[in-house]
Amino acid sequence: MTFGIVLLYKYRCMKFLIGYMVFSSASLLGVLGDYMAGIAVEIYRIPIDVVSYHLLLYNFAVVGVTAIFYQKGVPSRITQTYLVFTSVILAWHLSHFDDWTAWTLLVMLAFYDLCAVLTPCGPLKALVNLMSQEDSPDMPGLLYEAKLPAGTQKPGAKSKNTSRSSSTAARQESEVENKDVDRDSNDGNEGTQESEDNEPVNEEASITITETSRIPADSLVSPLTIGPRATLPMAIAKIYRLPLTSRYERPSSASSTRRKGRRKPREKTMSTSNINQSPLLADTSPEEFYQREFTRLELIADVEVQFPRNGGRVEKVGGPRNRDCKYLVYGKDGDLRRTLVVDRNGKVFEVSDEDDDDESVYDEAPSIRLGLGDFIFYSVMVAKAAMYSFTTFAACMLVILSGLGGTLVLLSVYHSALPALPISIFLGVIFYLLTKVLIEPWIEVIMTSPIYV
């Protein structure tokens, strides 16, 4: 089932996927909720007529599906409440398994969670990577999200001040990573730099520039659709793997000469001997086209690119020269994602305004997301422990919270998605057995045999 969800999400079969999840959630809240509520009515002898009962149940299921999957205009607490109801109803039904089946299922699911999240071919790891991409569609109903209090920070996230203070180091790192590109261009163009190329890049004090290595390359590209065209520097087109719409000519320039001890630059002469066919006009894909190394002149050259029909856009604002321009990257929903600049060496940097805290890319509301399946199996383990005694129930509940806290600590260390089941499940099984075999018999002996002091 997990592999099927990953494939449907990867190929953007969202209508089918969301439809299946809506049907499953409605069935769970309506049918399984009906069975659970019917037992509660019989046990507690609640006086209610059949019409009112089914009307309340119908409204409960409809409001739950709307709160979980539509969410617009619905308070987050209502959505969280229905997610908890979903977990409780499903966990209550799973708790009716016999002891050996239930505990074996929990242990096997903990091992499966390890493999699915941590291994390179794990389906949950692939799903997390797909959902973390830029402009990836939302898939509600799978995660429980809790907002953190004001002033706190998500485990594993870098603070805004740290990110801004490291902008200089990030830029130096970008310089080192791109030294091969600069060497290709500087070897043949040391003496042909125009005076404007030797001028430093204008950087205001209120602007922070960071490298673009974290920008996903496929945030704008959708090979199945063809949209409008625009003119952008090759450096930005390379980041987003945008296909070119015409033949691209590799420019080259003549080297400079020295006369009588003076350095006299020549005028640049462009050579069109090496012509690369556009990916739209040839069999070469954009990925293959952008795999080769580009020179500095190629990276700063303007090229015509094709945007996806339902994807994002890049707009050019500013002066006539590329180094004076900024490039605004918009997502498919029309929201501004980032602002990019291209320096004279063809390197692309992201710009953020330090003074505008509301529009900063670092000012996202901190939150923690936990898979809904983790909630369900936590509840199953607590339910099975409660069926034996209160002592085992208390022990399992405490170690589940401890295991979840340990997972958050590891999250702050490794800065990546981690499985939430293994630590809590393994600790729960161990302490359940210890409490059942050692602690409870010892407590019974103490309570039945008086000790004289």
Side-chain angles (χ1 to χ4, degrees), residues 344-370:
R344 66 176 183 270
N345 293 321
K347 300 181 181 67
V348 183
F349 298 95
E350 182 177 359
V351 179
S352 61
D353 191 353
E354 292 182 357
D355 297 331
D356 191 357
D357 293 334
D358 294 335
E359 297 179 0
S360 176
V361 296
Y362 303 102
D363 287 342
E364 296 179 358
S367 62
I368 295 179
R369 295 179 179 180
L370 184 66

Side-chain angles (χ1 to χ4, degrees), residues 110-291:
F111 282 112
Y112 170 76
D113 202 24
L114 276 173
C115 298
V117 177
L118 299 182
T119 58
C121 58
L124 293 181
K125 182 180 181 64
L127 185 61
V128 169
N129 293 336
L130 290 173
M131 295 181 67
S132 61
Q133 291 178 356
E134 189 75 16
D135 296 335
S136 59
D138 294 332
M139 191 166 58
L142 292 181
L143 298 175
Y144 180 91
E145 183 175 4
K147 301 294 183 182
L148 297 179
T152 58
Q153 187 178 350
K154 181 179 179 180
K158 294 183 179 179
S159 64
K160 178 165 55 178
N161 295 332
T162 303
S163 300
R164 289 175 176 173
S165 63
S166 62
S167 61
T168 303
R171 185 168 185 175
Q172 293 176 355
E173 181 181 355
S174 179
E175 295 280 349
V176 175
E177 291 177 352
N178 293 275
K179 64 181 180 179
D180 294 334
V181 176
D182 293 336
R183 183 169 61 250
D184 292 341
S185 60
N186 293 333
D187 289 344
N189 302 294
E190 290 182 354
T192 62
Q193 301 287 338
E194 296 181 3
S195 59
E196 65 179 12
D197 291 340
N198 293 324
E199 297 177 4
V201 179
N202 295 330
E203 297 177 2
E204 299 179 0
S206 62
I207 297 298
T208 300
I209 300 181
T210 56
E211 61 177 342
T212 59
S213 60
R214 297 179 183 177
I215 299 177
D218 56 350
S219 59
L220 295 177
V221 177
S222 177
L224 301 180
T225 59
I226 297 178
R229 301 179 181 183
T231 301
L232 299 173
M234 175 64 76
I236 295 181
K238 180 181 178 182
I239 290 177
Y240 294 105
R241 299 295 193 267
L242 296 173
L244 309 184
T245 59
S246 61
R247 289 179 179 270
Y248 171 66
E249 299 178 354
R250 294 184 64 180
S252 61
S253 59
S255 61
S256 64
T257 59
R258 291 179 178 268
R259 293 184 179 180
K260 297 180 182 181
R262 295 182 61 188
R263 184 174 181 177
K264 184 178 180 180
R266 290 183 183 177
E267 295 182 357
K268 295 182 180 180
T269 59
M270 307 303 291
S271 173
T272 61
S273 58
N274 190 354
I275 298 179
N276 293 278
Q277 187 78 359
S278 165
L280 285 185
L281 303 178
D283 296 333
T284 306
S285 64
E287 288 75 13
E288 296 176 354
F289 176 76
Y290 289 115
Q291 282 180 354

